[in-house]
């Protein structure tokens, strides 16, 4: 079955850019032709370009953007849609962790149902992929992990997902965590996580040895929270890169937050970016107020960057609403970007960047800037959203609420709602 999306504008920089018709078949973009010519083998048309469409979707001049992704989520801790709760953490990393531990069971929904609530919001905003961390520690055991795993599995037909077994309270400082991580990887975790091996666990060798030993044992990837800045962050970067290359895990390791790239002199940052590229390590950011990543330097080295929302109105922070287009706005805003090409690059990070992070990148991977079609060319997955906007930049600035979201060419969300309701 083929579907033609008529009169749409692909990733436009100018309001008067010509519209096209997009033909979708077998879940992928099969042809792109000038508007009104979808029945023929027009410009960019593939073999399916001449095939008659079974369904027509009227684009009405709307902008067609690639789907977005939240590749640093914590679905097990969000409180979206619940009664607002005043913030009570003390402002330290350990205080945030312990405050969450003291309160997470008081939520108004089960972990699975609350994760599903957030997943629906993310998809409705334009998301087609999520990588979520799930807390594993001596208090929660695998309870939060299984809740997130089951929620993601319930949305497998409309969402690409990965789950990280995340030792939020450390590995070394808490007994039994290694065995819990081992069990989570056996029960379906896609990656093993870590957290500040120098400044939180205070035993970087043991911490990283456990993380990478488990990754090697299970044939899984690694995604480490690294809030460490300065020389501590440099040390952890070097140790992570060394283990990645030694074990042949290029393309399977991510450093989240990566504040060492924001808290060191430029020559050091450039060396770290080269190290990431050599080891095939990707990075993710949540567009923080402080700690912006050097997107230009990372781009020069072809390091994949993904965007996430982190927590969403949880015990850590009242911020976050599940809207990935709004988080793209935040990425542009916290970087102080004004030029259209810079804001468009933020949308690339929120879309194709996240896809690269989840798919895995190699040192010879293609940089975002090398792909002129922004992931919307013939043969690409038909994962996109349609919305009313003049340009890509205006879409990011205005964040229009009315969005039609497609996965594999099938409408899965519209008007801010996941079709079929909560699962």
């Amino acid at each position: 079955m083929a579907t033609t999306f008529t009169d749409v504008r692909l990733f436009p920089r100018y309001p008067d850019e010509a519209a096209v018709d997009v033909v979708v078949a077998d879940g992928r973009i099969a042809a792109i032709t000038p508007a009104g010519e979808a029945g023929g083998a027009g410009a960019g048309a593939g073999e399916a370009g001449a095939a008659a469409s079974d369904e027509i979707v009227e684009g009405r001049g709307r902008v067609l953007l690639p789907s977005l992704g939240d590749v640093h989520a914590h679905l097990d801790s969000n409180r979206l849609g619940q009664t607002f709760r005043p913030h009570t953490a003390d402002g330290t990393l350990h205080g945030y962790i312990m405050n969450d531990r003291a309160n997470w069971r008081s939520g108004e929904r089960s972990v699975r149902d609350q994760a599903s609530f957030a997943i629906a919001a993310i998809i409705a905003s334009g998301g087609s992929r999520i990588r979520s961390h799930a807390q594993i520690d001596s208090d929660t055991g695998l309870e939060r992990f299984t809740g997130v795993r089951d929620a993601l599995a319930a949305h497998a037909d409309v969402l690409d997902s990965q789950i990280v077994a995340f030792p939020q309270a450390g590995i070394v400082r808490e007994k039994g965590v290694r065995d819990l991580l081992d069990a989570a990887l056996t029960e379906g975790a896609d990656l093993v996580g870590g957290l500040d091996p120098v400044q939180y666990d205070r035993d970087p060798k043991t911490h990283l040895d456990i993380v990478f030993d488990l990754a090697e044992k299970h044939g899984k990837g690694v995604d480490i929270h690294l809030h460490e800045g300065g020389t501590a962050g440099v040390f952890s970067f070097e140790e992570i890169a060394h283990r990645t290359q030694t074990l042949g895990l290029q393309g399977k390791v991510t450093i989240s937050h990566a504040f060492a790239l924001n808290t060191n002199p430029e020559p050091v940052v450039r060396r770290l970016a080269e190290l990431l590229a050599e080891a095939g390590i990707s990075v993710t950011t949540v567009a923080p107020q402080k700690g912006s990543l050097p997107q230009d330097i990372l781009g020069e080295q072809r390091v994949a960057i993904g965007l996430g929302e982190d927590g969403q109105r949880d015990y850590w922070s009242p911020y976050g609403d599940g809207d990935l287009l709004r988080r793209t706005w935040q990425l542009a805003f916290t970087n102080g970007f004004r030029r259209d090409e810079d804001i468009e690059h933020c949308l690339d990070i929120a879309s194709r960047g996240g896809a690269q992070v989840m798919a895995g990148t190699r040192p010879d991977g293609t940089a975002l800037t090398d792909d002129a079609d922004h992931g919307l060319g013939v043969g690409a997955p038909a994962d996109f959203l349609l919305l009313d906007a003049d340009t890509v930049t205006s879409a990011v600035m205005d964040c229009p609420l009315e969005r039609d979201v497609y996965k594999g060419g099938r409408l899965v969300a519209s008007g801010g709602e996941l079709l079929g309701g909560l699962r």
Side-chain angles (χ1 to χ4, degrees):
M1 176 178 174
T3 302
T4 298
F5 295 80
T6 63
D7 189 27
V8 298
R9 292 178 297 126
L10 296 182
F11 216 89
R13 178 171 293 179
Y14 302 102
D16 59 353
E17 287 190 29
V20 298
D21 294 342
V22 176
V23 180
V24 171
D26 298 323
R28 293 186 173 271
I29 296 176
I32 301 173
T33 68
E37 298 181 13
E47 293 180 1
S53 290
D54 299 289
E55 181 182 0
I56 302 294
V57 176
E58 295 182 359
R60 305 190 308 275
R62 286 179 292 174
V63 169
L64 191 151
L65 300 177
S67 66
L68 309 175
D70 188 338
V71 295
H72 186 99
H74 289 269
L75 295 175
D76 58 325
S77 63
N78 87 89
R79 287 179 52 88
L80 293 177
Q82 296 190 28
T83 304
F84 186 81
R85 182 184 184 279
H87 183 67
T88 55
D90 68 6
T92 66
L93 178 59
H94 186 65
Y96 285 129
I97 293 169
M98 291 300 108
N99 185 62
D100 179 273
R101 175 179 286 188
N103 291 288
W104 72 272
R105 287 188 175 87
S106 66
E108 297 162 21
R109 301 185 182 94
S110 68
V111 172
R112 183 200 182 284
D113 289 348
Q114 186 59 40
S116 292
F117 189 95
I119 289 168
I122 291 169
I123 295 174
S125 79
S128 68
R129 66 191 65 88
I130 296 175
R131 174 185 286 183
S132 179
H133 300 262
Q135 184 160 330
I136 292 173
D137 59 25
S138 60
D139 171 63
T140 67
L142 298 186
E143 184 177 348
R144 293 168 73 155
F145 165 77
T146 56
V148 173
R149 181 198 62 193
D150 293 349
L152 290 171
H155 295 82
D157 61 325
V158 293
L159 182 73
D160 299 324
S161 67
Q162 294 174 340
I163 184 169
V164 185
F166 177 47
Q168 176 75 85
I171 299 175
V172 179
R173 66 193 292 166
E174 290 214 326
K175 293 181 179 180
V177 174
R178 184 207 174 279
D179 291 341
L180 288 169
L181 293 173
D182 194 10
L185 290 163
T186 298
E187 294 187 21
D190 301 288
L191 304 100
V192 57
L195 171 75
D196 295 347
V198 174
Q199 294 183 341
Y200 194 73
D201 249 352
R202 303 297 180 94
D203 189 347
K205 182 181 186 304
T206 302
H207 183 106
L208 292 174
D209 281 351
I210 290 172
V211 169
F212 281 89
D213 285 351
L214 287 172
E216 183 180 30
K217 173 184 176 180
H218 291 273
K220 301 295 180 72
V222 172
D223 190 331
I224 296 182
H225 282 58
L226 207 59
H227 309 95
E228 297 167 349
T231 56
V234 172
F235 176 82
S236 291
F237 263 67
E238 292 171 345
E239 290 297 308
I240 292 168
H242 171 70
R243 285 167 171 78
T244 299
Q245 292 178 296
T246 299
L247 296 176
L249 291 176
Q250 293 95 329
K252 296 183 178 181
V253 176
T254 300
I255 295 178
S256 294
H257 301 300
F259 289 156
L261 295 172
N262 179 265
T263 54
N264 281 288
E266 183 174 328
V268 175
V269 171
R270 289 190 175 277
R271 181 173 68 82
L272 292 179
E274 293 172 359
L275 193 63
L276 293 174
E278 291 169 2
I281 296 173
S282 60
V283 297
T284 62
T285 181
V286 299
Q289 181 183 9
K290 296 179 181 179
S292 297
L293 297 184
Q295 294 173 195
D296 54 345
I297 295 175
L298 293 170
E300 291 169 5
Q301 294 297 325
R302 299 172 179 263
V303 175
I305 312 172
L307 179 64
E309 199 172 16
D310 211 349
Q312 299 137 332
R313 188 178 281 197
D314 56 17
Y315 299 105
W316 288 64
S317 164
Y319 293 97
D321 60 5
D323 191 325
L324 300 185
L325 193 58
R326 204 163 3 245
R327 183 53 57 117
T328 306
W329 176 95
Q330 183 172 318
L331 180 62
F333 179 77
T334 53
N335 277 280
F337 291 152
R338 297 171 184 262
R339 297 174 61 87
D340 290 83
E341 53 263 43
D342 293 331
I343 295 167
E344 291 165 3
H345 189 248
C346 289
L347 196 286
D348 276 329
I349 288 173
S351 57
R352 291 180 300 126
Q356 285 184 326
V357 168
M358 285 182 56
T361 57
R362 306 291 295 186
D364 60 352
T366 301
L368 291 179
T369 51
D370 292 339
D371 188 355
D373 62 21
H374 302 277
L376 295 172
V378 171
D383 301 341
F384 50 74
L385 60 153
L386 285 172
L387 46 75
D388 285 313
D390 291 329
T391 65
V392 173
T393 297
S394 73
V396 174
M397 292 299 105
D398 296 338
C399 293
L401 295 178
E402 289 296 324
R403 306 169 202 171
D404 287 341
V405 184
Y406 291 84
K407 175 68 176 170
R410 178 169 66 94
L411 183 67
V412 297
S414 183
E417 298 289 340
L418 177 66
L419 299 188
L422 296 179
R423 303 183 180 187

